[in-house]
Amino acid sequence: MTPSHTRISKAVIPAAGLGTRFLPATKATPKEMLPVVDKPAIQYVVEEAAAAGLSDVLMVTGRNKRPLEDHFDRNYELEEALHRKGDESRLAKVQESSDLATMHYVRQGDPRGLGHAVLCAAPHVGDQPFAVLLGDDLIDPRDPLLQRMVEIQEQYGGSVIALMEVDPAQIHLYGCAAAAPTSDDDVVVVSDLVEKPDPAEAPSNLAIIGRYVLDPAVFEVLRKTAPGRGGEIQLTDALQALAADPALGGPVHGVIFKGRRYDTGDRGDYLRAIVRLACEREDLGPDFRTWLRSYVTEEM
């Protein structure tokens, strides 16, 4: 297949989940708005898209997700109050989120899985390649995964998924890829994908993490994809079809990521992500690390 030369500019962020693992905190607050240090998790994701040159962001939302729209909108009353106080530092932080990208929103309505959420983006994306970023995975900006994925998609066409080596005993928690190496150490050709396989039957220890750069052909495949695991339309199933038959929409490549990833998908990993990011902050890190050492020493 001839590689696509269309410059990717659109990102899709599915954000319609109920956040049941974080109840009761998410009863009235979207899980994407839970703070990671002093920014909501979703802002890290939009910042990553913007840093990769994706200036058009579509958020797929659901009921009770209005705070997401408010966060990326202007708050003139708050901005004016900060301006009158001469608090330019906090004013800049407030304005930062509304200046990151051009934001759009669509409601998923019926929560039928990640594949269905991506399909909701079809009218906005059209016939252009696009990125999908899941909010549970925060990628450290010092390790530009998404930029690399965009480069590979522009080189080879088709779709690109992010992969990470995991402990084989943990592969049942992820989608898993069967893949062959290429001339690039961090790039593989994907031949098969399995959603949350039994460790004994997994084709590898390469787990899919929450970054994708997709050919628009995925929409037609998703329209024909029957509900899979959990009774939901799985994006992994559609990508498996593309990998099995590149004539449907190009090959599927994987970029193997070995950088820093912060998993906020469950409570324990969410807390660990906060600690790691706080320790690395110039303004918080020195004092926080001192306290943390003292606390751990006392507890041990």
Side-chain angles (χ1 to χ4, degrees):
M1 178 171 175
T2 302
S4 169
H5 296 287
T6 302
R7 178 61 189 172
I8 298 172
S9 63
K10 294 183 178 180
V12 175
I13 302 176
L18 298 176
T20 52
R21 287 180 290 182
F22 283 84
L23 287 170
T26 50
K27 179 180 179 181
T29 301
K31 70 171 183 175
E32 297 83 4
M33 290 299 298
L34 295 179
V36 180
V37 188
D38 55 2
K39 287 191 296 190
I42 194 67
Q43 183 169 332
Y44 290 88
V45 180
V46 176
E47 287 174 350
E48 181 187 351
L54 309 182
S55 57
D56 184 314
V57 176
L58 175 71
M59 206 167 288
V60 183
T61 68
R63 292 188 62 195
N64 301 323
K65 299 286 184 166
R66 182 60 185 270
L68 294 172
E69 298 185 35
D70 290 340
H71 180 72
F72 292 101
D73 199 359
R74 299 290 300 273
N75 186 327
Y76 293 102
E77 295 83 357
L78 177 58
E79 291 176 26
E80 179 59 26
L82 293 171
H83 179 70
R84 287 197 306 268
K85 291 172 61 177
D87 195 340
E88 298 302 321
S89 176
R90 287 190 174 88
L91 176 60
K93 290 180 180 180
V94 167
Q95 292 175 331
E96 181 182 15
S97 60
S98 57
D99 295 334
L100 285 171
T102 301
M103 302 295 298
H104 308 271
Y105 304 90
V106 63
R107 283 200 174 193
Q108 184 176 6
D110 186 12
R112 296 168 56 196
L114 176 58
H116 181 258
V118 171
L119 189 55
C120 291
H124 181 80
V125 169
D127 60 357
Q128 302 177 35
F130 64 104
V132 175
L133 297 85
L134 304 189
D136 287 346
D137 284 321
L138 305 187
I139 304 298
D140 194 295
R142 294 167 293 184
D143 302 311
L145 169 62
L146 193 56
Q147 289 96 318
R148 178 61 171 158
M149 295 176 68
V150 168
E151 291 171 4
I152 296 303
Q153 198 282 332
E154 291 178 341
Q155 180 178 353
Y156 294 108
S159 298
V160 182
I161 62 177
L163 301 171
M164 176 174 275
E165 294 180 346
V166 300
D167 185 326
Q170 300 298 310
I171 196 65
H172 68 284
L173 301 173
Y174 300 88
C176 176
T182 69
S183 57
D184 294 306
D185 290 341
D186 64 333
V187 180
V188 294
V189 178
V190 176
S191 58
D192 194 16
L193 294 165
V194 183
E195 180 67 20
K196 298 182 178 179
D198 184 282
E201 299 175 356
S204 74
N205 70 330
L206 291 175
I208 304 170
I209 58 175
R211 297 295 181 270
Y212 309 80
V213 178
L214 302 177
D215 187 279
V218 74
F219 293 131
E220 188 58 33
V221 178
L222 283 168
R223 292 186 183 100
K224 300 175 182 178
T225 299
R229 190 178 183 92
E232 298 181 334
I233 298 174
Q234 299 288 349
L235 179 59
T236 300
D237 291 343
L239 289 169
Q240 192 278 334
L242 290 174
D245 185 2
L248 292 174
V252 177
H253 285 84
V255 170
I256 301 175
F257 182 62
K258 296 183 179 181
R260 287 156 285 200
R261 165 180 173 254
Y262 310 106
D263 185 354
T264 62
D266 65 49
R267 292 169 297 175
D269 286 332
Y270 170 75
L271 292 173
R272 284 185 281 272
I274 292 174
V275 171
R276 290 173 64 186
L277 285 168
C279 285
E280 295 181 0
R281 286 269 294 264
E282 291 184 3
D283 57 338
L284 297 173
D287 288 343
F288 184 68
R289 288 194 300 270
T290 299
W291 173 84
L292 189 59
R293 290 190 191 99
S294 174
Y295 176 76
V296 171
T297 300
E298 291 173 1
E299 289 299 306
M300 293 296 289

